[in-house]
Amino acid sequence: MNLRNVVWDMDGTLLNSSRVVPEAFVRAVAELAGPPVAAEDVVNAYWRGTPEVILAFLMQRQLEPLESESYYRALDGAEVAPYPGVAETLAALRRRNLPITVFTGASTRAAELLLRSAGLTADLVIGGDSVDRPKPAADGMLLAARRLGTPAEHLALVGDSPLDLQAAKAAGSHSASAAWGHMYDPAEPADSILHTPDDVLELLATRTPRTSTP
């Protein structure tokens, strides 16, 4: 195995956002006078794509211009924390001169809001609005590979959701399951199962020299 760097999923992998994100959607739908929506309905719709796509699905209609701002207002300033060990692991990767890359189904705007709230920074953020096809398609990983200047087969995607693992496999990357995340499914095949974020450091222990900075 010749892994040079990792790409991180965000929700459920870097951030414990299992409450914050569904609540923001529920508040947005209520503000827009939409149908009754529960947090579980939101989670079940994550696979559909960006926040705009999910919100339109929950509203059961196309959104009018600027209606998606209801979601971003609800998300802005929300308190969200990284999982234990995440900040320390990212710092350790930076000490190795490795860029921190995030690939999320959320929009780039939502990702930046949440990462900032959690006190985390990334060198490269690929949101669901950056690609034509959401996870489990390979698009995001292939874009990350191009931006990092690293072949996809030398990257690992760390994520808690089956969609993350399937996206890694579709790109020919190493699939690393984040077993601490809220959507972790032990039945979903993965190349590696990581029990804590710092397991990433061991995963990269035999990496080759530094990838290029995006």
Side-chain angles (χ1 to χ4, degrees):
M1 182 169 58
N2 187 16
L3 296 178
R4 300 181 185 177
N5 204 351
V6 298
V7 176
W8 298 85
D9 171 52
M10 184 181 70
D11 295 303
T13 301
L14 293 176
L15 307 182
N16 186 358
S17 54
S18 59
R19 178 185 57 83
V20 167
V21 170
E23 284 183 355
F25 277 108
V26 170
R27 287 175 56 189
V29 171
E31 181 179 313
L32 297 172
V37 169
E40 183 180 0
D41 301 320
V42 176
V43 174
N44 290 337
Y46 279 170
W47 64 272
R48 294 182 176 274
T50 62
E52 290 78 7
V53 172
I54 294 172
L55 186 58
F57 171 77
L58 296 173
M59 290 294 296
Q60 300 178 13
R61 63 170 174 79
Q62 293 295 315
L63 298 180
E64 298 295 330
L66 301 182
E67 282 191 320
S68 61
E69 290 301 313
S70 294
Y71 171 72
Y72 291 106
R73 282 195 297 270
L75 197 65
D76 193 11
E79 294 185 2
V80 61
Y83 282 98
V86 163
E88 294 81 359
T89 299
L90 298 188
L93 291 173
R94 283 205 163 94
R95 286 194 293 272
R96 298 185 185 189
N97 292 320
L98 290 171
I100 305 302
T101 302
V102 175
F103 168 37
T104 174
S107 65
T108 303
R109 179 181 175 187
E112 291 173 346
L113 285 172
L114 287 168
L115 290 169
R116 182 167 63 247
S117 177
L120 300 180
T121 58
D123 301 291
L124 173 61
V125 176
I126 296 174
D129 53 338
S130 302
V131 295
D132 292 330
R133 298 179 300 166
K135 302 170 186 177
D139 298 31
M141 283 301 293
L142 296 178
L143 178 57
R146 291 196 297 273
R147 296 269 181 90
L148 293 169
T150 303
E153 59 266 29
H154 295 312
L155 295 174
L157 175 57
V158 181
D160 66 313
S161 165
L163 297 179
D164 299 316
L165 305 178
Q166 293 163 18
K169 292 176 184 177
S173 301
H174 185 91
S175 58
S177 188
W180 62 88
H182 62 268
M183 296 191 75
Y184 169 63
D185 180 359
E188 184 66 29
D191 295 316
S192 297
I193 298 177
L194 309 182
H195 296 284
T196 61
D198 63 1
D199 284 347
V200 165
L201 304 178
E202 183 176 347
L203 192 66
L204 293 176
T206 58
R207 72 173 183 87
T208 55
R210 179 187 180 183
T211 57
S212 59
T213 301

